[in-house]
Amino acid sequence: MRHIHHATDRRFRPLERVWRSVFVDVLLHDVNALSMSKKTVYLTEEGFQELKDELHFLKTKERARIADTIAEARAKGDLSENAEYDAAKEEQGKLEARISKLEDTISRARVVDENEVDDSKAYILSKVTVENLNTGAEQVYTLVNEQEADVSEGKISVESPVGKGLLGKEEGDEVEIDVPAGTVTLKITNIAR
């Protein structure tokens, strides 16, 4: 009876790749699970709906598309030298990680009614007008959760350096914030909903 040494036998390379892929997926899932915090995620109704829509799209359309890609690559034969198969499996791992993150975020989400936001201090969903005391420039920021942040629309995350610096402050307060370009001093000139 012939002894099979799987490390050198080409027939076992696809299995090794699958096991390696499974191991990486499990490891990524554990790392993601540890990094996901149990803090409440405050979102607008619009932001919450966008996350739900993205999750639905990924679970229905993207999973099916990637499954088809994997099936096509698998049909081409030898998986040990099939770059398309490897790329599709990697894409599948990233997709499942994104789905897991969205599910976690949605499970911790609390929709905030913008009309109930207290405008005496800068909180999530506050529109904060600041004057950069270093340059004299004025800017309006809406403080949002990181999932809704979009700098081009003036929406900054409460987890960003500027967002953290403004959070809980009142009109007239001056705050020094460390940003990648150095330290900036901002004066809050207005807080609104």
Side-chain angles (χ1 to χ4, degrees), residues 71-88:
E72 287 174 21
R74 188 177 279 142
K76 292 182 180 178
D78 185 9
L79 298 180
S80 66
E81 296 178 16
N82 190 331
E84 290 175 32
Y85 178 78
D86 290 343

Side-chain angles (χ1 to χ4, degrees), residues 53-99:
D53 291 345
E54 180 184 358
L55 180 62
H56 178 73
F57 173 77
L58 294 178
K59 284 181 147 182
T60 57
K61 306 281 190 232
E62 280 299 290
R63 269 187 178 158
R65 183 188 65 78
I66 292 174
D68 289 345
T69 304
I70 290 171
E72 287 174 21
R74 188 177 279 142
K76 292 182 180 178
D78 185 9
L79 298 180
S80 66
E81 296 178 16
N82 190 331
E84 290 175 32
Y85 178 78
D86 290 343
K89 288 300 284 182
E90 184 176 329
E91 187 178 7
Q92 183 182 43
K94 290 178 182 177
L95 172 70
E96 292 304 322
R98 177 67 181 153
I99 287 172

Side-chain angles (χ1 to χ4, degrees), residues 64-174:
R65 183 188 65 78
I66 292 174
D68 289 345
T69 304
I70 290 171
E72 287 174 21
R74 188 177 279 142
K76 292 182 180 178
D78 185 9
L79 298 180
S80 66
E81 296 178 16
N82 190 331
E84 290 175 32
Y85 178 78
D86 290 343
K89 288 300 284 182
E90 184 176 329
E91 187 178 7
Q92 183 182 43
K94 290 178 182 177
L95 172 70
E96 292 304 322
R98 177 67 181 153
I99 287 172
S100 178
K101 183 174 181 183
L102 284 171
E103 288 174 336
D104 176 67
T105 301
I106 289 170
S107 73
R108 295 182 293 117
R110 179 170 169 231
V111 176
V112 179
D113 182 352
E114 295 180 53
N115 296 322
E116 295 178 8
V117 175
D118 176 12
D119 59 5
S120 65
K121 290 187 178 183
Y123 294 115
I124 195 152
L125 301 184
S126 295
K127 288 186 183 187
V128 183
T129 305
V130 296
E131 178 188 352
N132 183 328
L133 296 180
N134 302 0
T135 64
E138 191 172 85
Q139 183 71 42
V140 178
Y141 297 116
T142 301
L143 302 178
V144 296
N145 198 288
E146 68 180 309
Q147 285 80 7
E148 294 184 82
D150 185 347
V151 177
S152 66
E153 293 181 13
K155 296 178 178 180
I156 61 168
S157 167
V158 291
E159 299 296 323
S160 70
V162 174
K164 282 181 183 177
L166 297 176
L167 209 54
K169 301 296 188 275
E170 298 179 356
E171 212 171 281
D173 285 353
E174 292 182 14

